[in-house]
Amino acid sequence: MLPIAISFQLEEKEYVKLMFFLTYRKPIIIFCTIAGAVMLTFSLLHFAGLYMVNSQSPYIPLVAGFFMAVYMPIAVYRNAIKTFRSNKLLQERINYLFDLEKLSVQGESFNSELAWKNIHKILELKNWVLIYQNSAVANLIPLKSFEPNQLASFKTLIKEMSGTYSIARK
């Protein structure tokens, strides 16, 4: 059962999808995007003469709607691409070794070990496991890199830990 060893290399497309998922799972982002789409639609209808906005200046909702509904997704995409391409660590083949004391992470240009007690939380998503070192920094592991028996062993390992954290499904 232990230790559990996995190896993978992140793909840019997978990373971009993950960044979109993490951004657009927040209710405020979803609300802003929908509100932006509504503002943009009504502003465009106003300029087409099909709907009159009760506003002296329909340019403000047009610009705000464009920013929230169009620019934000483009910005998420561009930032994800830029981050992936500029961070060589994300592009390396990464090897993980999980045992009872720690998790070891080794790439082509780095090597680190984290004691389980120093892990902030572990989040299991549909296609990912995110191991947070703190509230902002996480190790990204595609679920497809685990063999079926390894994933079950990994979940068992997490359950056996001190109880200060658990796998949170989202």
Side-chain angles (χ1 to χ4, degrees), residues 13 15 41 54 70 98 115-116 120 140 146 159 165:
K13 184 179 176 181
Y15 181 77
T41 301
N54 293 334
V70 178
F98 304 99
W116 286 111
H120 178 67
L140 315 173
F146 286 97
K159 289 177 185 173
Y165 60 89

Side-chain angles (χ1 to χ4, degrees), residues 90-143:
L90 289 174
Q91 300 173 36
E92 294 181 11
R93 173 158 287 287
I94 301 172
N95 303 303
Y96 280 85
L97 184 65
F98 304 99
D99 63 32
L100 289 173
E101 291 84 35
K102 64 187 178 307
L103 73 103
S104 301
V105 186
Q106 181 180 8
E108 297 162 11
S109 65
F110 69 93
N111 191 3
S112 70
E113 292 183 349
L114 294 164
W116 286 111
K117 66 180 181 175
N118 295 330
I119 301 295
H120 178 67
K121 72 177 175 179
I122 297 176
L123 184 63
E124 181 182 355
L125 304 174
K126 181 179 177 185
N127 297 315
W128 295 87
V129 172
L130 307 179
I131 302 175
Y132 282 87
Q133 298 174 24
N134 58 46
S135 62
V137 176
N139 293 67
L140 315 173
I141 304 173
L143 277 177

Side-chain angles (χ1 to χ4, degrees), residues 3-152:
I4 302 164
I6 61 168
S7 180
F8 62 90
Q9 186 166 1
L10 285 178
E11 296 176 17
E12 183 178 71
K13 184 179 176 181
E14 291 177 325
Y15 181 77
V16 170
K17 283 183 183 180
L18 177 61
M19 293 303 105
F20 265 102
F21 178 79
L22 292 175
T23 301
Y24 282 93
R25 74 184 185 129
K26 299 172 184 162
I28 189 69
I29 301 295
I30 295 169
F31 174 78
C32 286
T33 303
I34 292 170
V38 169
M39 286 191 291
L40 185 60
T41 301
F42 282 115
S43 294
L44 293 174
L45 289 173
H46 174 80
F47 286 112
L50 301 173
Y51 177 80
M52 289 305 182
V53 178
N54 293 334
S55 173
Q56 300 259 346
S57 176
Y59 295 105
I60 294 172
L62 177 69
V63 171
F66 178 82
F67 176 77
M68 293 188 295
V70 178
Y71 179 75
M72 280 179 38
I74 291 170
V76 170
Y77 176 81
R78 288 182 64 218
N79 286 337
I81 294 289
K82 182 180 174 183
T83 299
F84 186 84
R85 290 180 181 171
S86 67
N87 188 340
K88 298 302 179 195
L89 300 179
L90 289 174
Q91 300 173 36
E92 294 181 11
R93 173 158 287 287
I94 301 172
N95 303 303
Y96 280 85
L97 184 65
F98 304 99
D99 63 32
L100 289 173
E101 291 84 35
K102 64 187 178 307
L103 73 103
S104 301
V105 186
Q106 181 180 8
E108 297 162 11
S109 65
F110 69 93
N111 191 3
S112 70
E113 292 183 349
L114 294 164
W116 286 111
K117 66 180 181 175
N118 295 330
I119 301 295
H120 178 67
K121 72 177 175 179
I122 297 176
L123 184 63
E124 181 182 355
L125 304 174
K126 181 179 177 185
N127 297 315
W128 295 87
V129 172
L130 307 179
I131 302 175
Y132 282 87
Q133 298 174 24
N134 58 46
S135 62
V137 176
N139 293 67
L140 315 173
I141 304 173
L143 277 177
K144 69 181 184 179
S145 61
F146 286 97
E147 296 294 326
N149 63 334
Q150 286 181 319
L151 186 57

